[in-house]
Amino acid sequence: MALPIDRPQKIVCVGLNYRDHAEEQGTELPAAPLLFAKWPNTLIGAGEPIVIPPVTNQVDYEAELGVVIGERVRGASIETALEAVAGYLCLNDVSARDLQFSDRQWVRGKSLDTFCPVGPQVVSAVDVPGPESLRIRALVNGDVLQDSNTSNMIFSVAEIVAHVSQAITLVPGDLIATGTPAGVGAFRDPPIWLEPGDEVTIEIEGIGALTNPVRSGE
């Protein structure tokens, strides 16, 4: 399926933005949003395969609420930040944990080709009046592995947009990944890694369900 968005100039991501996810790692809650980047080469649409290359064998899923920016914004306040949001979609912040943890920074492990499925469509912000209270789940082969609510976010969508825009001008089409809740594969005992033949679904209340198969690549 074609991408539901134009390729953004920027994909801005937030780490450790759910209380339950920080708790499962035994990590203190951050005092401000922790930002990192994924690159547009990662983007695929619903139904397209997540391709695992030989460089990694510890590939993880992350259910996230994606935020699509609709207007240029710089220095927004928390009170006005949502005015810049065009809509929302499901996002899977697929992560090569072995690369992420060995690099001791996140960009390479987060930016492999096909590692940011988005979709299945953009839901207008007008139709999502409460992005801070949506059920969010990740299923692998039908098994529910993440089941939380955006109310568990440490920083709300408005707070994230405002924080980012204090330093970085956001432009129409930019995409923000707002963080993932507890239940990712890396912190399970034993860990659960995506394998060729798996199917991953990200579900967000009022947004839809994004499903992608997993296959191996060269």
Side-chain angles (χ1 to χ4, degrees):
M1 183 180 293
L3 283 176
I5 56 174
D6 293 331
R7 288 194 177 270
Q9 182 190 92
K10 297 182 285 295
I11 304 174
V12 182
C13 307
V14 184
L16 291 174
N17 194 36
Y18 279 73
R19 293 174 181 85
D20 52 3
H21 183 45
E23 289 165 0
E24 73 178 346
Q25 301 179 57
T27 301
E28 291 185 7
L29 301 186
L34 300 175
L35 303 183
F36 63 96
K38 289 173 84 84
W39 293 326
N41 62 291
T42 59
L43 290 167
I44 57 174
E48 295 187 90
I50 298 164
V51 179
I52 299 177
V55 72
T56 178
N57 58 17
Q58 294 183 356
V59 177
D60 209 346
Y61 52 87
E62 293 192 18
E64 306 206 9
L65 175 66
V67 177
V68 180
I69 298 299
E71 62 182 55
R72 187 181 187 278
V73 58
R74 168 79 178 181
S77 67
I78 294 172
E79 292 74 23
T80 63
L82 290 184
E83 296 174 6
V85 175
Y88 302 92
L89 42 62
C90 300
L91 185 150
N92 188 353
D93 178 19
V94 182
S95 305
R97 297 298 192 190
D98 41 3
L99 304 186
Q100 178 186 357
F101 297 150
S102 66
D103 287 355
R104 303 183 69 125
Q105 58 84 26
W106 296 358
V107 175
R108 183 170 72 124
K110 298 280 192 172
S111 289
L112 280 68
D113 295 345
T114 76
F115 272 33
C116 191
V118 293
Q121 68 277 317
V122 178
V123 177
S124 172
V126 174
D127 297 321
V128 188
E132 68 284 342
S133 184
L134 304 173
R135 189 179 186 186
I136 180 169
R137 305 200 305 168
L139 300 86
V140 177
N141 302 325
D143 295 329
V144 178
L145 300 183
Q146 290 181 283
D147 191 349
S148 189
N149 194 287
T150 57
S151 61
N152 286 318
M153 283 185 182
I154 299 166
F155 304 103
S156 68
V157 173
E159 290 172 311
I160 293 167
V161 172
H163 178 77
V164 173
S165 76
Q166 299 307 310
I168 301 166
T169 299
L170 294 168
V171 299
D174 281 352
L175 179 62
I176 298 176
T178 57
T180 198
V184 298
F187 299 108
R188 289 181 168 270
D189 187 15
I192 295 176
W193 306 121
L194 296 180
E195 300 284 350
D198 286 346
E199 183 179 81
V200 187
T201 298
I202 308 302
E203 295 180 348
I204 302 179
E205 178 185 359
I207 307 297
L210 167 69
T211 298
N212 298 88
V214 181
R215 69 169 177 84
S216 61
E218 297 180 354

